[in-house]
Amino acid sequence: MTSKANRPCVQKLRCLLSVAVGILCAQSLAFRNVDSAAFDSFANLTAKGLDSIAQFGPAGSIALAACLGALFYRIYPNFKRVGKRNQLISVILSFFLALSIVVPRLMKLPNVSFNSFPNYVGGVPKWHKPIFWMVASIQLLTIGFTLAVIICWLMRKAADLVECRNTGEVSTAIPPTNLSIWERGVRFFDGKPMHMTVATLAMVLCWLPMLVIQGPAIIGVDSMVQLVQFRTGHVWDPMTMAELPGYVGQDHHPFFDTYLYGLFDELGLWLGQEVLGFRILIVLQSIVAALAIVVSLIWIKKRTNLPDSCICACWCLAAILPAFPMYMSIVLKDSTWVSIFLLWMVAFFEVIYRCNNNHAIGWRLVLCLVVLGLFSGLTKKLGIYVTTVSLLLAIIVIRKQFAAFLISMLVPAALVIGFVPMVVLPALDIAPGGPQETISVPIQQLSKVAILHQDELSKSDRQAIDRVLDIDHLKPYWQADSADYAKHYGYRLNASSSDRKNFILTWIRLFFRYPKDYIAAVPYLINPFVYGETYYYSGPVRCGWWEAGGSRILTEYPECGLSYTQGKIAIPLTNALNKTPPFSFIGSEALYTVWLPMLALGLTISIRRYRNLCYLIPTVVSWCSLFLLPAHQVRYTLSFLFVFALTIALPFAEVLTKERNISN
């Protein structure tokens, strides 16, 4: 124990250490431009470092350093109090989280720049320069050290919450007149219909200004394909550009969404103003999204011991963060799907909660999982695979309630994967989607190997590749930032299922011969896991496929043109949010795809609630699904943003004793 005489010295050392860490961490966050001449000499390094800090602004740099130093000073004592075990956990977590900030400097992507502050520009790393490794090490150590201290502080807070609930120190008899603002606010998440309605409508009202600014609607390329096919009957495969005569639509994009968007388009025409139909759709999907977020907060209030202040803060974040209404203003399958998936996640969490507490699942909950799983698969094809695999893993891990899990898993999968393509699509004269979509990553990787090592491949390997891909044709068009080019220019339409099977077997076998080329072929797969892109987005009212009939959709708006509010407010606002801390951080994709799940994992292990790790199953499955996508777009990780509150509450889900009952 430190004596009283030595305490001033210890405090001075802590103060100096905090100042040093704050300055180093601020410089580490501000420094960038790894593709420049910064690492040629210490003089260039100093000059480029000062330039980076100057771009942030001297006042901003000083403020960032002071805030980080003060934060470090306040919470550093917690690092010693959590014990060796939790210190090790925090160090491991902080290392991976720090990598998500440092790695963008090391990426070899000459033509790609991230949009958010500190606006790291990818380039060719100077691996041979010792200065390069020195800077990378300093960045990793300073950021990681600061994060480790913060994580230890979070561990102390989490342990205090759990201990307080276990010892029954939570007061439940507070007079209504003495309720705090948080206790008053959290009453809106008690599950009562009136309170649920108020919380939902209040969130939509908070979103309304952004919905107006983004208005009247944002219709991207994918949705334009669906609207053109629904309106004109001109059907083609948007990936291979092959005409599909005799069909009224194609399932490349989910047919359910096509009919949904088409019906609202027709509604607008019937009302005398086409855009009015899309405005109604945007309002409705905003209401459903807000309701889904409120339902998740209700579950958190009832099933976890997360503090009332945190629950209210989650509602405030969802209501105020522009990213939520920005994506609700888009006519897009991801925006339509994410609310359904969030509700499915709440139902999944309830199933895990009941299993962990030895309580029957009940047929209503099973029916809820079946219906939500079905619509999740109908609105986004990847959704059915995430829900099905998650339930399968839950059966393996939990080994309880087999009948309920099997019904929840098999019924939606059988309907979406079996009944729809074999019965529904033929009955509606809808062409199935191209089979190349499911093997996008193998196509991208094998095409690169075939281009670079064609002479080294065996005759059988070349034949297996050639039956699926036209390497000579796609070679000039191949690009590392997306597999769409390889699919578009290389995939052979006459490839059979047997050809694709042999192609996949060849892909698996050649991985062990060319692992570096496989990794180099898909550099975009790392993007969701590093600090760069944000969820702030705006775009034109309609864009794409004018030559195929797209000019007939919303004729009053120019091709790829912005509305007045989009051009004057939305685009400048998006650029400002991307480059202004802390908005660039709280809107960052990596915060929701990596930071929150990793912190939830670490806190769960720290407080020894190992059963709660089962709640992470859909997150892990969603992580794995990101490695199968043909390209990186922020909308592909939209589910991580919307389930943020459930992720935060995951370590605090209660594991009840036998004496306590579960309320319905």
Side-chain angles (χ1 to χ4, degrees), residues 132-341:
F132 174 83
W133 289 106
M134 180 195 72
V135 172
S137 300
I138 292 175
Q139 291 171 339
L140 186 62
L141 289 174
T142 53
I143 296 173
F145 186 36
T146 305
L147 289 175
V149 173
I150 294 174
I151 292 171
C152 286
W153 174 78
L154 289 174
M155 288 177 175
R156 288 274 298 178
K157 289 293 183 181
D160 291 343
L161 284 174
V162 173
E163 183 178 356
C164 180
R165 178 57 62 97
N166 290 339
T167 55
E169 295 178 5
V170 179
S171 176
T172 58
I174 303 176
T177 56
N178 296 330
L179 292 177
S180 68
I181 185 174
W182 305 118
E183 291 163 334
R184 292 176 186 273
V186 84
R187 288 187 297 177
F188 287 97
F189 309 113
D190 57 9
K192 294 181 180 179
M194 179 58 70
H195 289 168
M196 187 188 307
T197 302
V198 171
T200 300
L201 293 180
M203 183 174 293
V204 175
L205 287 176
C206 292
W207 289 355
L208 191 59
M210 184 55 63
L211 295 178
V212 173
I213 291 171
Q214 292 274 88
I218 297 176
I219 307 175
V221 176
D222 291 354
S223 300
M224 285 297 295
V225 173
Q226 297 171 283
L227 289 171
V228 170
Q229 294 188 355
F230 185 90
R231 174 84 73 83
T232 67
H234 176 205
V235 183
W236 75 100
D237 188 325
M239 189 53 58
T240 62
M241 299 304 297
E243 294 289 334
L244 300 171
Y247 291 101
V248 299
Q250 196 215 15
D251 196 44
H252 177 85
H253 305 297
F255 81 98
F256 184 87
D257 293 331
T258 301
Y259 278 98
L260 178 66
Y261 303 152
L263 289 175
F264 277 94
D265 185 31
E266 293 291 335
L267 175 62
L269 293 172
W270 181 74
L271 293 173
Q273 188 177 11
E274 183 182 6
V275 74
L276 187 58
F278 295 117
R279 284 174 170 167
I280 294 173
L281 171 62
I282 286 170
V283 170
L284 290 177
Q285 76 178 11
S286 298
I287 293 174
V288 174
L291 175 62
I293 294 173
V294 170
V295 169
S296 70
L297 295 176
I298 291 173
W299 186 90
I300 293 171
K301 175 67 173 66
K302 289 180 174 293
R303 301 309 196 197
T304 74
N305 50 23
L306 196 69
D308 294 344
S309 58
C310 291
I311 297 175
C312 294
C314 287
W315 184 93
C316 292
L317 179 63
I320 296 173
L321 190 66
F324 290 94
M326 280 179 168
Y327 270 93
M328 286 303 103
S329 64
I330 306 175
V331 179
L332 183 70
K333 60 178 177 289
D334 302 273
S335 299
T336 304
W337 164 81
V338 71
S339 304
I340 301 171
F341 181 75

Side-chain angles (χ1 to χ4, degrees), residues 445-446 449 506-508 510-511 514-522:
Q445 293 174 323
L446 267 190
V449 168
T506 304
W507 170 67
I508 296 173
L510 291 183
F511 168 78
Y514 305 104
K516 291 183 179 179
D517 293 317
Y518 271 46
I519 296 173
V522 286

Side-chain angles (χ1 to χ4, degrees), residues 307-625:
D308 294 344
S309 58
C310 291
I311 297 175
C312 294
C314 287
W315 184 93
C316 292
L317 179 63
I320 296 173
L321 190 66
F324 290 94
M326 280 179 168
Y327 270 93
M328 286 303 103
S329 64
I330 306 175
V331 179
L332 183 70
K333 60 178 177 289
D334 302 273
S335 299
T336 304
W337 164 81
V338 71
S339 304
I340 301 171
F341 181 75
L342 175 54
L343 292 173
W344 181 89
M345 282 285 288
V346 174
F348 179 86
F349 270 43
E350 178 65 14
V351 168
I352 300 300
Y353 180 86
R354 295 192 180 194
C355 288
N356 284 347
N357 293 283
N358 299 313
H359 189 78
I361 292 178
W363 67 268
R364 289 188 180 90
L365 186 54
V366 173
L367 180 62
C368 186
L369 279 173
V370 169
V371 173
L372 292 173
L374 173 63
F375 281 100
S376 176
L378 290 176
T379 51
K380 185 177 180 179
K381 292 182 178 180
L382 190 62
I384 193 63
Y385 298 102
V386 173
T387 57
T388 302
V389 175
S390 297
L391 289 168
L392 176 61
L393 293 177
I395 293 175
I396 297 173
V397 174
I398 297 177
R399 292 177 291 180
K400 295 179 181 178
Q401 306 282 349
F402 286 99
F405 274 114
L406 284 174
I407 294 173
S408 304
M409 177 184 70
L410 294 179
V411 173
L415 291 174
V416 175
I417 300 175
F419 183 77
V420 167
M422 290 190 295
V423 178
V424 177
L425 297 185
L428 297 176
D429 290 328
I430 297 176
Q436 73 274 15
E437 298 304 311
T438 58
I439 55 173
S440 299
V441 172
I443 287 176
Q444 176 77 348
Q445 293 174 323
L446 267 190
S447 59
K448 181 178 179 64
V449 168
I451 291 171
L452 296 178
H453 308 284
Q454 187 171 6
D455 296 336
E456 301 174 14
L457 299 177
S458 65
K459 183 179 179 180
S460 60
D461 290 338
R462 289 198 303 268
Q463 288 178 346
I465 296 173
D466 290 339
R467 287 173 181 169
V468 176
L469 296 176
D470 186 346
I471 300 298
D472 294 333
H473 185 246
L474 74 84
K475 186 175 181 179
Y477 304 100
W478 191 94
Q479 293 189 27
D481 61 343
S482 174
D484 288 339
Y485 300 95
K487 291 186 297 180
H488 177 71
Y489 294 104
Y491 182 74
R492 297 185 187 275
L493 296 177
N494 59 352
S496 65
S497 58
S498 177
D499 294 334
R500 290 190 294 272
K501 179 181 177 181
N502 292 332
F503 182 83
I504 292 297
L505 294 176
T506 304
W507 170 67
I508 296 173
R509 186 171 61 254
L510 291 183
F511 168 78
F512 299 98
R513 287 179 59 185
Y514 305 104
K516 291 183 179 179
D517 293 317
Y518 271 46
I519 296 173
V522 286
Y524 59 84
L525 293 181
I526 199 176
N527 288 2
F529 305 100
V530 296
Y531 186 82
E533 301 284 354
T534 70
Y535 287 107
Y536 304 124
Y537 176 81
S538 185
V541 177
R542 65 173 182 88
C543 191
W545 306 106
W546 60 269
E547 72 278 17
S551 56
R552 296 175 58 180
I553 308 296
L554 297 176
T555 56
E556 65 269 34
Y557 293 95
E559 175 68 13
C560 297
L562 300 169
S563 69
Y564 180 82
T565 53
Q566 288 171 353
K568 296 296 183 180
I569 304 176
I571 297 296
L573 177 61
T574 299
N575 293 334
L577 290 171
N578 281 336
K579 293 178 171 58
T580 306
F583 301 104
S584 58
F585 178 72
I586 62 175
S588 172
E589 181 183 24
L591 172 63
Y592 301 93
T593 58
V594 179
W595 285 50
L596 291 184
M598 291 290 287
L599 289 173
L601 172 65
L603 292 181
T604 303
I605 296 174
S606 171
I607 60 180
R608 291 179 169 84
R609 285 191 170 180
Y610 300 113
R611 291 185 186 180
N612 290 359
L613 293 176
C614 297
Y615 294 107
L616 273 173
I617 290 176
T619 299
V620 175
V621 176
S622 298
W623 277 342
C624 295
S625 70

